[in-house]
Amino acid sequence: MKTTFVYKEVNGCEIKGDFYSAGVSFAPLIVYIHGGGLIWGTRGDMKKEQITLYQQAGFNVCSIDYRLAPESKLPAIKEDIQDAVIWLKEKGAVKFGFDPERIAVIGSSAGGYLALLSGTFQVKPKAIVSFYGYGDITGDWYRRPSPYFSKMTTVPEFLAKQLIQRNIISESPIEKRFAIYLYCRQQGKWIDYAAGSSDRDFLMEFCPINQITTNYPPTMLLHGDTDEDVPYQQSVMMSRELEQFGVDHELITIANGKHSFDDQMNNPIVIDVFDKVIRFLKDHLGD
C-alpha cells in the first residue's frame, strides 16, 4: 500500500514522497532518491520489484521528489533532501510509525550523488547506499563534452531551453526532459545548468568527497566498471577517501556493468547485488 504525502511546499510547488509500509511496527526506513541528472525523474521511478524486496526484508520504503534543475539549482536541491530527512525523522516517524533512529538513504546515479551528499548533513542518515553515484562534481567528466552522449543525436541549445519551465518543478518524466540533459552532456554544460555556477570554491560545498569526516555514515558503493555515463572511478575515489577517514564502507564492482545495471532485476548478478545491499542495511540498521 502506498501513501503519498507533502513534505514541503515552495512557491506553490508541492514536493512529495510516497511511503510504503513494511507492515511491521517501528521498522527501519529506506529513503530512496531517484536519478535523472537532477533534471528529470519522479518518486515513482523506483522499481516496484525493489520496493517489494526491501519490504520483504523488513524495511519501510519512502521514495521522494525534490526540485529539479535547471529551474532550481543545487543549493535548493540539497535543501530539499535535507528537509526530507528532517521531516521524516520529526514528523514522518509519528505519522507512519517507523523508527526515526534507523534511516538509510539510497539513491541511483544523480540520486546516488544526493545520497552521498546526505552524509554531510547535520542530521545524517544511519547508512548510505549509492548506486553508480558520484562524489565529485568538479571533474572534467561533467565539464567536457561526453564521448558517449556526443554519439547521440545532437541537441541544439534552443530546444533544450524550450523545455525549461517558467515555474519550479519537482517531478517530470524522462521523455520531457532528457533532451536538456543530453544537450548539457554534449556541450559540457551540466554544471552551469544544474549548479548555476562553475566556481570551484562554490562547488566544494556540493562535493561529498571533500566533506568526509570520521562521523560520515557507513556507506555502500555499487558501480559497473564500464559505466558510460557516470565514471566508475567516481566510486573508486569515494571509497579511497572513506578509507582515509576510517569510515565503514564497501565498494561493490559489477564487472562489465553499465549504467542502470540494476534495471535487470532477474539477472543473477543483480540478485546477488541486492542480497549484499540488504545484508549491509541489516548490519547497520538492524532487522
Side-chain angles (χ1 to χ4, degrees), residues 54-75:
Y54 291 134
Q55 287 177 305
Q56 291 175 342
F59 299 101
N60 297 298
V61 178
C62 181
S63 184
I64 61 170
D65 286 330
Y66 50 89
R67 279 174 284 179
L68 298 173
E71 291 85 355
S72 300
K73 305 301 182 188
L74 256 179

Side-chain angles (χ1 to χ4, degrees), residues 248-262:
D248 190 353
H249 71 286
E250 295 180 45
L251 170 60
I252 307 296
T253 301
I254 291 78
N256 301 313
K258 302 290 186 180
H259 202 67
S260 301
F261 65 82
D262 54 323

Side-chain angles (χ1 to χ4, degrees), residues 115-128 208 210-219 238 241-249 284:
L116 294 173
L117 195 60
S118 75
T120 71
F121 298 167
Q122 187 170 359
V123 178
K124 306 177 190 296
K126 197 166 183 182
I128 294 170
N210 294 314
Q211 299 183 66
I212 297 171
T213 63
T214 54
N215 67 342
Y216 192 88
T219 300
M238 193 73 188
E241 199 66 16
L242 291 167
E243 182 73 28
Q244 287 291 319
F245 284 86
V247 177
D248 190 353
H249 71 286
H284 294 288

Side-chain angles (χ1 to χ4, degrees), residues 142-163:
Y142 254 154
R143 292 173 176 269
R144 292 181 179 175
S146 159
Y148 172 69
F149 288 107
S150 293
K151 295 175 185 176
M152 300 181 185
T153 302
T154 301
V155 176
E157 183 178 22
F158 79 86
L159 175 57
K161 290 189 172 180
Q162 278 183 348
L163 297 174

Side-chain angles (χ1 to χ4, degrees), residues 72-83:
S72 300
K73 305 301 182 188
L74 256 179
I77 296 169
K78 176 184 177 182
E79 179 187 276
D80 288 348
I81 305 303
Q82 287 177 313
D83 288 346

Side-chain angles (χ1 to χ4, degrees), residues 145-278:
S146 159
Y148 172 69
F149 288 107
S150 293
K151 295 175 185 176
M152 300 181 185
T153 302
T154 301
V155 176
E157 183 178 22
F158 79 86
L159 175 57
K161 290 189 172 180
Q162 278 183 348
L163 297 174
I164 299 172
Q165 305 298 303
R166 292 184 179 181
N167 300 317
I168 62 174
I169 61 173
S170 61
E171 50 186 302
S172 179
I174 183 173
E175 295 83 7
K176 294 184 178 181
R177 308 277 287 186
F178 182 68
I180 302 175
Y181 183 69
L182 186 52
Y183 167 76
C184 289
R185 295 306 305 274
Q186 289 175 341
Q187 302 299 325
K189 292 188 175 182
W190 181 84
I191 288 294
D192 298 324
Y193 272 60
S197 172
S198 58
D199 179 76
R200 189 175 181 84
D201 291 337
F202 168 79
L203 293 174
M204 285 299 174
E205 179 186 343
F206 306 99
C207 290
I209 198 167
N210 294 314
Q211 299 183 66
I212 297 171
T213 63
T214 54
N215 67 342
Y216 192 88
T219 300
M220 174 175 270
L221 307 158
L222 305 105
H223 217 130
D225 60 8
T226 57
D227 193 318
E228 294 167 304
D229 188 344
V230 177
Y232 166 66
Q233 194 64 21
Q234 281 289 315
S235 287
V236 173
M237 290 164 51
M238 193 73 188
S239 176
R240 288 174 182 164
E241 199 66 16
L242 291 167
E243 182 73 28
Q244 287 291 319
F245 284 86
V247 177
D248 190 353
H249 71 286
E250 295 180 45
L251 170 60
I252 307 296
T253 301
I254 291 78
N256 301 313
K258 302 290 186 180
H259 202 67
S260 301
F261 65 82
D262 54 323
D263 282 352
Q264 304 170 21
M265 290 298 293
N266 294 322
N267 185 318
I269 294 173
V270 176
I271 291 171
D272 180 63
V273 160
F274 276 94
D275 285 344
K276 290 175 179 174
V277 170
I278 288 171

Side-chain angles (χ1 to χ4, degrees), residues 40-111:
W40 81 84
T42 80
R43 64 190 185 280
D45 290 345
M46 188 177 189
K47 296 195 176 346
K48 292 180 180 179
E49 299 96 324
Q50 294 179 16
I51 295 170
T52 300
L53 201 63
Y54 291 134
Q55 287 177 305
Q56 291 175 342
F59 299 101
N60 297 298
V61 178
C62 181
S63 184
I64 61 170
D65 286 330
Y66 50 89
R67 279 174 284 179
L68 298 173
E71 291 85 355
S72 300
K73 305 301 182 188
L74 256 179
I77 296 169
K78 176 184 177 182
E79 179 187 276
D80 288 348
I81 305 303
Q82 287 177 313
D83 288 346
V85 173
I86 292 171
W87 188 95
L88 286 164
K89 284 180 72 74
E90 295 181 352
K91 298 181 179 179
V94 176
K95 181 178 178 66
F96 298 115
F98 61 82
D99 186 347
E101 299 306 315
R102 294 193 293 162
I103 296 177
V105 175
I106 298 180
S108 55
S109 197

